[in-house]
Amino acid sequence: MPLRRLRAGLRRPPGIPGPLAVGLSALLAAMLLALGVAPGLGRLQGAAPQPVPIRALMPAPLADAVAGPVARFNAKNPGVRLEVIRGPLDTEAISDLAISSLLLGEAPFDLLLVDVSWLAKYVAAGWFTPLDGWFGPEVLAAMEPGARLGNSIGDHLWRMPLTGDTGLLYWRTDLMDRPPRDTDELVAISRDLQRRGKVPWGYLWQGRQYEGLSCVMVEVLQAFGARWWDGASGATALDSPEAVAAASWLDGLLRHGVSPASVAGFTENDALQMFAAGEAAFLRNWPYAWREIEKADGPIRGKVGVTTVVAAPGRQAGGTLGTWGLSLIRGSPHPEEAVTAIRWLTGETVQRQLALEQGYAPTWSRLYDDPELQRQAPLLVVQRAALQHPEPRPLTAAYAQLSDLLTRQVNGMLTGQEAPAAAMASAQRQSLQVLRSMVGTPAAAGTGP
Amino acid sequence: MKLSGAKALLMLPALLLLVAVFLYPLLRYGWLSGHASSVLTGLRPVPNGGANWQRLIEDVRFWKDAGQTLRFAFCSVALELAGGLGVALLLHQPLRGRGTLRALTLLPWALPTTVMALGWRWILNDPHGPLNAALRSLGAPSYGFLTTPATTWFFAVLADVWKTMPFVALLLLAGLQSIPADLEETLRLEGASRIQILRRLTLPLLVPYLSLALLFRLAQALGVFDLIQVLTGGGPGGSTESLSLYAYLNAMRFLDFGYAATVMLATFLLLAVLLGVGWLLLRRARIARTTGGPA
């Protein structure tokens, strides 16, 4: 019987022979002694004070991009030890991770690299310390207009921007002489190229049900003169005729075959891979995509132009503001040292390097004026132009909900579950419902930070 | 059964544990669901007079997700039970290399769901995934498996069945092995066919194992989260969103804890009622069988 054997085994005396047991206990005692004594010995010998640890949580690509500057910072500041925690790649995943630790009270990091779309929510939750004490109003004045947006809420500065990225339009220099000037031209050129068999597809963008689709929507709404968020009334305006026209245009791209149906499942990378394989004339993406295309030895290397996004004829175009910046976590035990790290990481030296090596758009106007950098980073001119009229996402603490709602409806439209007018009307109705229930009264919905 | 003092005392630690991990969170959810607690209240709970429950009743998304969750759970659990039974019967046969086969069957169950879901997402990728590559090599155009609601739902079920069928099979295999071989032998000697043996002997004796697998799997499938989150993110157009995913989004992404608690509690009540009804039905069926049929 197994059970009886088990019991017998338990009753058997432990099989460690005497001498070995003595040796083991001696070793254990020595280890414990060493653990207790070692720190004291260090103090006796007058070892240098431990550097102040500062931890920053960043999405993996940016964490890798700043690895060099972080090492230089630590070499220059022996009193501080800056450590970057490599978070997940996906923007939403890293926000979920940060929120999980912030909700528990003591976050294991002092700095958080914050996407522009999170700021209102985090500030409303009371998780950040304002930076006004360290950075005066003149700091933002030295930046490009678009880079100044989305850092201040109320009268306080909550975030120092590290990148000035906006949505951009990529086009094929081997297929056309100049980029399209408006949405009509974009479609016309696409269809002409498709008809002549030059490319299977015209325009690639991000249509999966996720935050990237909201970025696309911000641009398309702006391109047709619609507004997602009316800051004055604190409400959404998604059922306006202009907004429906914007949604219809996007829907038409799929229905008329300018964009493949698979766009409805595309993230940035899916769209980039297909464009880099030479299968389309246009791509909507962030600045990093240009370096990716030029680095890879693909069929369209050296045949790609970059320009600002386009609007409907007679409308003002604006690329979605997608900037990242550093915020100071409330309750960080070492705010002074943390701000030193912010100063260095968001400073001109590091931004210059990020622009050269990764293609991230700088925020400082002085960098855009630098002829040397202009020569080495050809995207700079376009990035600066895009930063003159960028489109921020709704600056409200309820943004995550509104964005989730809109992408759900629009993705439903793209996958043929709903017509554009119905999808937008539904998004509008649900948005107002959410705003009402979060604060109680509709009038108070806009008084969030 | 009467509880003596000693017995009650022995049960106390388990009871305390249940209260701590089960009753307390439930009561806390109940309390929180009567409050607004979101970024707009600075994460402080403010009583809102049942506004959360009113919102829940009017929330099209909650009811749509409830329907989707039930549909997902019933379809995948039904397939898992049927498939699991088949696999268990197969593995019960005296085959050569049976041990290896049993170990192989367990592989999908051993994989982390997230990894498995990422794998499926890649297989179904349009246009780069292997499934679409196969389609194109046959001359067909590539297909948006994850951008068409019907196929997305189908593959979500398929992925779940693929992963958890081994669990059901293992459970049923244990059941099969508990059936004395001489019973089967006797029936065979008396001239019963394989189908008759399965219907009259194997299945009735497997009922406790089947109902155990059913309850386990139903409870798990109704709370499905990671598979959906990774494979579809709830898309396309929210057509695969489950109740757990909706509750998670409310809490972790929207920081709307009052409403998230309401969604969780409503989901719990819904599932409790469902599992309760299922349990009653099973019990009635068992009583009916042991007493020789319903009145």
Side-chain angles (χ1 to χ4, degrees):
Chain A
M1 290 284 113
L3 200 64
R4 200 173 300 154
R5 226 178 291 143
L6 191 70
R7 282 211 201 102
L10 282 177
R11 244 183 271 121
R12 206 181 299 148
I16 302 175
L20 190 58
V22 173
L24 275 176
S25 16
L27 194 67
L28 195 69
M31 274 165 66
L32 285 174
L33 208 66
L35 277 175
V37 168
L41 272 180
R43 244 177 272 129
L44 277 180
Q45 287 165 357
Q50 288 288 310
V52 171
I54 296 292
R55 291 190 186 84
L57 176 62
M58 299 187 187
L62 274 151
D64 294 342
V66 299
V70 166
R72 264 181 291 149
F73 175 83
N74 284 329
K76 284 203 311 182
N77 298 274
V80 186
R81 163 122 202 106
L82 178 60
E83 195 185 307
V84 174
I85 307 170
R86 259 175 122 252
L89 182 123
D90 179 51
T91 303
E92 259 113 299
I94 190 161
S95 177
D96 290 359
L97 180 73
I99 286 175
S100 311
S101 14
L102 288 165
L103 280 174
L104 292 174
E106 276 184 30
F109 43 87
D110 308 272
L111 299 173
L112 178 65
L113 196 61
V114 178
D115 182 72
V116 65
S117 68
W118 310 342
L119 192 70
K121 181 168 76 177
Y122 281 63
V123 168
W127 289 331
F128 291 158
T129 298
L131 300 170
D132 312 287
W134 294 281
F135 300 97
E138 74 287 350
V139 173
L140 287 185
M143 293 180 181
E144 288 296 299
R148 296 175 208 157
L149 299 175
N151 301 303
S152 307
I153 289 175
D155 297 328
H156 297 294
L157 177 71
W158 299 95
R159 184 184 88 138
M160 268 298 278
L162 172 64
T163 71
D165 284 4
T166 57
L168 296 172
L169 181 66
Y170 290 72
W171 58 285
R172 293 274 297 276
T173 53
D174 58 329
L175 297 177
M176 60 201 92
D177 301 327
R178 59 164 181 82
R181 277 179 293 223
D182 53 44
T183 47
D184 287 359
E185 274 191 15
L186 185 141
V187 171
I189 296 173
S190 294
R191 300 183 86 165
D192 176 55
L193 289 170
Q194 286 176 279
R195 212 171 16 243
R196 291 193 284 131
K198 298 281 185 189
V199 274
W201 304 108
Y203 183 30
L204 301 178
W205 37 282
Q206 295 83 43
R208 187 177 160 89
Q209 186 185 328
Y210 83 123
E211 183 59 26
L213 179 54
S214 277
C215 296
V216 169
M217 276 310 286
V218 165
E219 281 160 17
V220 178
L221 286 169
Q222 164 73 13
F224 283 80
R227 293 204 74 82
W228 181 351
W229 179 250
D230 181 1
S233 71
T236 51
L238 290 170
D239 56 351
S240 68
E242 292 85 5
V244 174
S248 302
W249 183 74
L250 213 52
D251 192 44
L253 291 177
L254 262 73
R255 276 189 290 107
H256 301 309
V258 173
S259 303
S262 49
V263 153
F266 273 10
T267 61
E268 281 92 351
N269 201 36
D270 298 316
L272 171 59
Q273 292 309 323
M274 198 169 187
F275 183 73
E279 290 185 39
F282 301 106
L283 167 75
R284 185 262 170 218
N285 214 319
W286 305 101
Y288 82 96
W290 193 72
R291 295 272 162 184
E292 295 287 316
I293 294 168
E294 293 300 308
K295 260 191 291 188
D297 196 15
I300 60 160
R301 184 177 173 187
K303 299 173 187 167
V304 175
V306 185
T307 184
T308 48
V309 295
V310 290
R315 299 283 189 187
Q316 166 74 52
T320 299
L321 192 67
T323 58
W324 289 92
L326 282 164
S327 291
L328 175 60
I329 303 293
R330 166 174 290 180
S332 160
H334 310 291
E336 289 298 333
E337 288 82 357
V339 170
T340 318
I342 293 182
R343 239 182 250 287
W344 166 250
L345 287 173
T346 61
E348 284 185 24
T349 319
V350 174
Q351 285 199 12
R352 170 189 295 269
Q353 187 183 335
L354 288 181
L356 280 176
E357 289 173 3
Q358 319 283 337
Y360 287 112
T363 63
W364 302 105
S365 297
R366 257 221 320 231
L367 288 176
Y368 286 96
D369 292 330
D370 185 337
E372 177 66 16
L373 193 61
Q374 280 175 5
R375 201 176 51 74
Q376 291 175 306
L379 233 56
L380 222 53
V381 183
V382 179
Q383 287 172 325
R384 182 174 221 175
L387 276 176
Q388 306 315 305
H389 301 284
E391 270 302 297
R393 281 162 272 178
L395 197 64
T396 159
Y399 173 72
Q401 245 140 326
L402 300 180
S403 168
D404 183 74
L405 262 170
L406 184 65
T407 56
R408 197 176 142 99
Q409 291 301 324
V410 173
N411 185 257
M413 171 190 82
L414 296 174
T415 53
Q417 299 171 61
E418 231 174 354
M424 296 310 275
S426 178
Q428 171 69 4
R429 198 176 52 246
Q430 293 180 52
S431 300
L432 293 183
Q433 199 180 31
V434 161
L435 288 172
R436 258 198 308 273
S437 89
M438 274 180 86
V439 280
T441 57
T447 54
Chain B
M1 184 178 72
K2 246 193 98 177
L3 268 182
S4 70
K7 270 186 192 162
L9 202 67
L10 281 172
M11 277 174 67
L12 199 64
L15 210 65
L16 281 179
L17 193 71
L18 272 181
V19 167
V21 303
F22 199 67
L23 193 63
Y24 170 72
L26 266 184
L27 291 177
R28 170 88 187 154
Y29 278 155
W31 179 81
L32 205 54
S33 75
H35 293 73
S37 171
S38 72
V39 268
L40 297 188
T41 67
L43 300 189
R44 276 179 300 275
V46 178
N48 68 354
N52 288 334
W53 288 99
Q54 200 182 344
R55 175 175 166 195
L56 185 93
I57 290 164
E58 292 166 11
D59 190 353
V60 188
R61 184 167 173 180
F62 173 82
W63 295 108
K64 188 177 173 224
D65 287 357
Q68 285 167 184
T69 310
L70 290 181
R71 193 179 58 170
F72 172 85
F74 284 130
C75 290
S76 53
V77 172
L79 287 173
E80 280 154 29
L81 285 185
L85 183 64
V87 172
L89 285 172
L90 202 70
L91 289 180
H92 191 50
Q93 305 302 315
L95 300 168
R96 257 197 350 170
R98 188 166 65 168
T100 322
L101 227 98
R102 284 181 183 169
L104 277 178
T105 318
L106 263 181
L107 265 185
W109 174 248
L111 273 181
T113 312
T114 310
V115 174
M116 180 277 284
L118 270 179
W120 279 99
R121 188 168 152 190
W122 169 242
I123 290 172
L124 300 171
N125 184 296
D126 174 23
H128 304 293
L131 197 57
N132 268 315
L135 272 184
R136 277 198 307 276
S137 72
L138 293 174
S142 52
Y143 188 78
F145 294 107
L146 293 180
T147 49
T148 313
T151 48
T152 308
W153 179 78
F154 172 78
F155 279 105
V157 170
L158 187 72
D160 193 58
V161 170
W162 180 78
K163 174 165 168 61
T164 47
M165 204 168 67
F167 168 75
V168 177
L170 196 75
L171 214 76
L172 296 183
L173 186 62
L176 283 176
Q177 285 173 344
S178 75
I179 300 175
D182 45 357
L183 275 181
E184 203 174 315
E185 192 71 12
T186 317
L187 279 185
R188 194 169 303 141
L189 285 176
E190 303 218 346
S193 71
R194 272 170 173 268
I195 301 287
Q196 275 174 325
I197 294 178
L198 184 71
R199 272 193 50 200
R200 295 297 170 89
L201 174 78
T202 317
L203 279 184
L205 287 178
L206 267 186
V207 163
Y209 295 88
L210 278 168
S211 41
L212 191 69
L214 177 77
L215 285 184
F216 260 124
R217 282 301 309 140
L218 211 54
Q220 245 174 2
L222 287 168
V224 63
F225 172 77
D226 37 8
L227 170 69
I228 302 290
Q229 164 81 334
V230 177
L231 183 66
T232 72
S239 62
T240 56
E241 188 171 85
S242 67
L243 283 174
S244 307
L245 185 55
Y246 187 39
Y248 168 82
L249 286 177
N250 271 298
M252 299 308 288
R253 195 152 302 158
F254 309 156
L255 298 182
D256 190 350
F257 298 101
Y259 194 60
T262 315
V263 170
M264 276 319 286
L265 199 60
T267 307
F268 168 78
L269 291 175
L270 214 67
L271 302 194
V273 167
L274 258 169
L275 290 177
V277 168
W279 182 75
L280 272 180
L281 284 179
L282 274 174
R283 213 173 68 136
R284 259 187 54 185
R286 209 175 304 170
I287 291 170
R289 217 181 28 258
T290 47
T291 57

